[in-house]
Structures are given as C-alpha cells and as structure tokens.
Amino acid sequence: MATYSRRNDDESGEPLEGDDAPADPRDDIDPLELPEEEQLVYDLSAWPIDVQAEVAEALASAGITHNWLGTDLVVHERNEDAADALLADIERRHGLESDAGLPEREPGSEVEYDLSDWDAPARAMLTARLIEADVPFRWEGGLMVTAAADEETADAVLDGVEDSLATEGVPLTEEEPGESPLSSLFVAVDDLSTHPNDRDSILRLNELFEQAETGPVPFGVHPASWDRILDQVSDLLDLSLESEDANDVKAEAVELREVLRPLV
C-alpha cells in the first residue's frame, strides 16, 4: 500500500493529535486540491473493483474526505491513522494481506470500455443500470472499467442502454450543454459537505429538492434510481436540520456526493 504524506508537528517535533490538534480547514477541501506534499495516497490498483467500492462507502460513513485518481485513493494526510485502520480492516476481511504487501493484479482482470464520445445523460443511464445490475465499476475519465468476470453482464447492460437510446431517438454524443437537476443537486450537496449545517446551503438544497420532486426524472436516469436519490437528499436535509454534529452531516453529504458524481 504505497503512501506519502507530510505531518503537522508541534514545537517538540511530535504530530499534534486528539484534543491538542486544532481544527484544520483542509478537512473541508477536496484532497486533490491540496498541495501534493499534504496528500496521502494509497495505491489500490491491485484491489478488486467491488472492494474499492466498499472502501469509498466506508470512508464516506466515517466522514473522511477523499477522492480518486484512477485507482489511487487520496485523503488528507491528517486522516492517516483513521484511513490506515479502515483500509487494514477491509484488507484483512477480504484476505488481501501478504508478506510482500498487496497482491499484484492479474493481467486481464479488468475490462475497459471507451465511452468518451457518450454524453452525460447516456453515461448517467449506464451508471444507473450498472448499479441496478449489481455490477461493480468505476469511471476513469471517459473509460468505464469493470471486472473481467462481469464482462458479459456489463456488455448486456451496455447493449440495453444503446437500445433504449436508439428507441427514444436520442444520440449518444454530447450536445449543447445545460445545467440539469442532477448537476444542481451535485453542486448543492458538495457545498453542504464543505459547510455542514450552513443555513444558506441547507435552504438552497431544500429548494432544489422541492423542484426535483415535482419535476421530470432527469434524462438517462432510471425512475427507481431517481427516487432513491431523492430519498437520500430528503434524509440529508432532515439530518442537517436535526443533528448538532456537523461531522454526521458532512459524512452523509459526502456519501450522497459520491452517488451523484458519476451522473453529472
């Protein structure tokens, strides 16, 4: 598990931890926006896609801000201890431990689909249907990556999306861009994840939620998936109004943001 980081030290040269550690504004910053020396990077390229998905869910539940560069997991360096413990637990449970570190990924264990010419609604439809089919996957720019073992199912899902779009007479390529309900929700949820319990952020999200509830299902998103997203938005709004713990709100917002990210 490759990492690099820079720790904050006090005058004695020891890291500040626990109650002695001041609140750090970097906790509200996307780790990819931090200077490289302040990032902590885990190379999870050898881990199966379904385990990578479990990592993202566990980090969101723990309120640890994170992001991905391909298969590299990036977190704030001040979260090193918590991230190490979380990843070590997942590593043990899935039998990924070895004397030499992480096992090497076998050649051909993953399949890449170049969908760079697909527009956002088409990718959103594909994302929703892959989730419904329980196919682990990730996006790397315009590449959709899944396990080779799931290739047949992924192919069938892709064919189904193409058939649906062809039936509706909708092209796959990008047309004139415009702000969608999904994009607006993503921005509002991302803002709340950065400023938990901020009144203006909550009011903005509530306004968008009310519009989304009465508006049409976004193109390319399955109605059932859209209903689940709206349920999560509603839960986040309830939590932000009722909870006095900003970390709980932040964790919920980060988790919802990761659900919305592939759809926008």
Side-chain angles (χ1 to χ4, degrees):
M1 187 181 295
T3 66
Y4 63 86
S5 66
R6 188 179 74 179
R7 306 284 283 183
N8 286 333
D9 298 341
D10 62 13
E11 294 181 356
S12 67
E14 294 297 325
L16 293 176
E17 298 178 349
D19 295 336
D20 295 328
D24 195 320
R26 294 173 303 169
D27 283 341
D28 293 332
I29 300 176
D30 185 330
L32 297 182
E33 297 178 1
L34 291 170
E36 185 172 291
E37 63 271 14
E38 296 183 13
Q39 297 176 352
L40 181 66
V41 180
Y42 297 85
D43 179 4
L44 302 183
S45 59
W47 288 24
I49 290 179
D50 57 337
V51 179
Q52 294 172 11
E54 182 179 337
V55 169
E57 182 178 352
L59 287 169
S61 297
I64 299 176
T65 305
H66 64 284
N67 211 328
W68 296 85
L69 277 174
T71 56
D72 284 349
L73 171 68
V74 186
V75 302
H76 298 171
E77 54 87 24
R78 66 186 274 114
N79 291 322
E80 180 175 4
D81 292 342
D84 280 352
L86 184 150
L87 291 172
D89 178 64
I90 292 176
E91 187 178 32
R92 283 193 300 271
R93 287 192 286 105
H94 289 275
L96 297 173
E97 296 173 296
S98 69
D99 294 337
L102 293 177
E104 295 185 2
R105 182 171 52 181
E106 296 180 4
S109 62
E110 294 183 349
V111 179
E112 296 179 351
Y113 297 84
D114 185 359
L115 305 177
S116 55
D117 60 342
W118 283 35
D119 65 4
R123 294 189 197 184
M125 177 183 288
L126 174 60
T127 295
R129 294 197 180 181
L130 287 170
I131 293 172
E132 290 172 359
D134 199 23
V135 176
F137 67 97
R138 67 174 182 272
W139 285 101
E140 294 183 3
L143 293 179
M144 192 277 288
V145 185
T146 187
D150 293 318
E151 181 177 7
E152 184 175 346
T153 305
D155 285 344
V157 172
L158 279 164
D159 290 342
V161 171
E162 291 178 334
D163 290 344
S164 295
L165 294 174
T167 299
E168 298 171 13
V170 179
L172 290 169
T173 53
E174 188 74 57
E175 297 182 349
E176 184 176 351
E179 188 171 17
S180 68
L182 276 170
S183 299
S184 300
L185 277 177
F186 176 82
V187 172
V189 170
D190 184 59
D191 188 42
L192 191 58
S193 72
T194 305
H195 306 94
N197 294 340
D198 177 73
R199 178 175 176 79
D200 290 339
S201 298
I202 296 171
L203 290 175
R204 174 58 177 160
L205 181 59
N206 185 67
E207 178 185 356
L208 291 170
F209 172 69
E210 291 178 349
Q211 293 173 3
E213 267 197 318
T214 58
V217 177
F219 173 76
V221 179
H222 193 281
S225 298
W226 183 235
D227 286 342
R228 286 196 294 269
I229 288 173
L230 291 180
D231 285 343
Q232 288 183 267
V233 175
S234 178
D235 291 343
L236 175 59
L237 285 168
D238 290 342
L239 182 65
S240 63
L241 292 171
E242 297 171 0
S243 176
E244 297 180 357
D245 190 340
N247 288 328
D248 287 346
V249 177
K250 180 177 180 179
E252 188 82 12
V254 168
E255 183 175 351
L256 179 54
R257 183 185 66 188
E258 295 306 308
V259 172
L260 293 171
R261 185 187 297 277
L263 303 177
V264 298

